[in-house]
Structure formats: C-alpha cells, structure tokens
Amino acid sequence: MPIVFGAVAPHGFPIIPALSDDAEGALHTRAAMEELGRRCAASHPDVLVVATPHGVRVEGHICLANTARGAGTLWWHDRKIEMNVPVDGQLTDRIAQRATAAGVPIALAGFAGNRRDQSVIPLDWGVITPLWFLGYGQDMPGYGNVLAPTPEHDPGPPVVIVTPSRALPRTAMITFGEAVAEAVEADGRRVAFIASCDWAHTHRADGPYGFHPDAARVDQAVVEALQANDLERLLDLSDEEVANAAIDGLWQTLMLAGVMRRVPMHGTVLSYEAPRYYGMIVAPFELR
C-alpha cells in the first residue's frame, strides 16, 4: 500500500485551541487544520511521517528519530500541552535503508537510553502542532515513565520523525521523498506524509526577524505552487529570496514533492494567513 495522504501544515502553535482562545488571530488556519485532520483521518493512515525543521539537526544529514517514543511540552503564556507518541521503528529503518541506498546521507538519532526501546527523543513544536490535529488532540503527559504510557493515551498512529539539513542540496530532499515512497510501498501499511512548515518570517518589523518585502512575494509564490500542484517549482526560489523571507518550509515541502513523484496526489490550499510575523499555509494532498 502506498502513501495515502500528504499535507503541508503549519506549526505556529497558538493555533492549538488548548493553548490560545483566539489563535493569535489565526482562527481561519485553526479551522483549516481541523478540516485537514478530518481528511487525514478519512484516509485511515497506519503511520504518520512528520518532517519538521525544528527537530534534532545533524549537519549534512537528514536525521531520523531512532527511539521508541517522542515526548515534549509546549507552553504559551500560562497554558501548556504535553505529548507522548510512539515512534515506528520498522518504517524508520526502511526509510533509512532506502534513502542511504539512494545516496542521501542519513543520521539515526537516539537520546538517553542505549537501546531504541530505552530511548525517547524530545518533540519540538514542528511535530507537536500538526500531531495535535492528527489524532493527538489531548493533553498527554509522560506519567513518570515516557517509555510505557498507558494504552488509552496513544490515540493516533505511530510516527516517523524526520529533520532535514539545509547544508544538503535541495534536490536531496526530493530524492529522500522518493525513498520514503519506496519504503512505504515495501512496508505495506497506509502512511501519511506531513510536511510541517511555516513560511516567511519577515512580515513585520516588530517580529524577531524584522521586515522584508520578499516575505509577501515568496509566500505568494509558495501558495501558487501548491495550488498548481507543482511543488518542485520551489526549487527555483533563489537563495537570496529564501534568506530574505526566512522561510522554514522549503525543505520539508520538497520531500513531499519527492513522494509525489512516486505517488501522484492532488493538493488543495485550504488557507493562507500571516496574522503575526510569519505565514502559515494549510494544504492537504489526496490520492488522484
């Protein structure tokens, strides 16, 4: 069974209802993420592959979590959520093997325990935010033993956690995505690929990255590429545009483009907003 669903999903975590009542002005994005969750659930994935820019980064390699679980906490003002999810070792290994065979440098990252079954990787907001809408939409603390939470706190499918390195050529992301599709085909289970992405971070002068006029132009180019179902068009963004707009979604989206070379899907842009200093796009990709 191939990939059954894909998505470009934001990770601005105030969109999580448990953290903010008004989503910091991104209520349209929140509603779109709720719809994305419904569409993903309708595809009945057995595993979620989540590519995040904010996980464990290994220079010059694409990093995969080589752990039994991932666990993390997000705070927003006086509110917090906790998440504890199972990591799918079988598919992680298949992806690592296929990508390595295709010439993509792969790093398998553990943390704490010396064996995979003893190891837990920290979850970043790039993973937690989309997962909240994809089956993990509740507070899930570690219960004192993050390796063995109670079964009722595993409401969503297990995950594979991917973090790209920007030191690699952009084309390596496409090759990696093709390897993911091949690994999934060999695995036989139903898999969704989630590209966790925020876009230009230079929309406002009072933001941490300042203002640049390329922010609006780059975000518009990304929206148009997604609407045209032509994700590989993003290869044409110049390094200067990428830096000026301070985007973090390019690499994960190119991975999805690689997946779509092997598994044709059709995308729909459900929303685009930039209510604060960064842009957010919600776009599900479903089988043709």
Side-chain angles (χ1 to χ4, degrees):
M1 176 63 66
I3 300 283
V4 296
F5 187 80
V8 170
H11 49 250
F13 51 87
I15 64 173
I16 296 173
L19 292 178
S20 171
D21 294 332
D22 64 0
E24 295 289 296
L27 289 172
H28 188 43
T29 298
R30 176 181 289 172
M33 283 295 285
E34 290 168 346
E35 172 62 16
L36 184 143
R38 289 188 287 269
R39 295 193 188 193
C40 185
S43 73
H44 304 291
D46 299 312
V47 185
L48 302 173
V49 178
V50 183
T52 170
H54 299 304
V56 176
R57 293 187 296 272
V58 179
E59 190 75 357
H61 294 70
I62 292 175
C63 184
L64 302 179
N66 186 32
T67 61
R69 304 193 69 85
T73 302
L74 284 182
W75 288 87
W76 185 248
H77 299 306
D78 60 345
R79 300 187 188 185
K80 73 170 182 177
I81 62 169
E82 295 180 294
M83 191 171 286
N84 184 320
V85 302
V87 174
D88 194 282
Q90 176 179 301
L91 186 56
T92 296
D93 288 344
R94 287 186 185 274
I95 291 171
Q97 291 161 5
R98 292 286 180 135
T100 299
V104 179
I106 296 296
L108 291 167
F111 182 78
N114 295 321
R115 301 196 315 256
R116 174 184 278 170
D117 64 353
Q118 299 172 326
S119 192
V120 179
I121 203 161
L123 290 183
D124 64 276
W125 61 99
V127 175
I128 293 176
T129 304
L131 285 186
W132 198 96
F133 294 92
L134 298 176
Y136 287 93
Q138 58 175 294
D139 195 38
M140 295 190 295
Y143 312 106
N145 180 2
V146 293
L147 290 171
T150 53
E152 64 268 23
H153 293 98
D154 277 348
V159 303
V160 174
I161 302 171
V162 178
T163 303
S165 168
R166 300 179 189 184
L168 290 172
R170 295 182 194 176
T171 52
M173 305 303 140
I174 293 177
T175 303
F176 177 80
E178 292 182 279
V180 169
E182 292 171 1
V184 170
E185 187 70 35
D187 184 89
R189 288 175 292 170
R190 303 171 67 88
V191 176
F193 187 94
I194 311 301
S196 178
C197 309
D198 284 339
W199 294 96
H201 287 64
T202 55
H203 284 282
R204 287 176 37 167
D206 61 352
Y209 302 92
F211 172 79
H212 198 284
D214 279 353
R217 289 193 287 267
V218 169
D219 277 5
Q220 181 61 32
V222 174
V223 169
E224 290 173 358
L226 297 177
Q227 289 173 329
N229 229 53
D230 185 9
L231 279 59
E232 292 190 40
R233 187 189 303 179
L234 300 180
L235 287 169
D236 296 332
L237 288 173
S238 70
D239 290 342
E240 182 180 15
E241 289 173 312
V242 169
N244 289 343
I247 60 176
D248 72 15
L250 175 61
W251 298 266
Q252 302 84 257
T253 300
L254 290 176
M255 290 177 173
L256 178 58
V259 169
M260 290 171 58
R261 280 189 174 183
R262 301 302 178 95
V263 184
M265 291 186 282
H266 179 74
T268 305
V269 175
L270 297 180
S271 69
Y272 167 75
E273 286 186 299
R276 299 180 69 226
Y277 63 89
Y278 56 92
M280 294 181 285
I281 300 170
V282 181
F285 286 79
E286 296 164 292
L287 295 177
R288 293 184 185 274

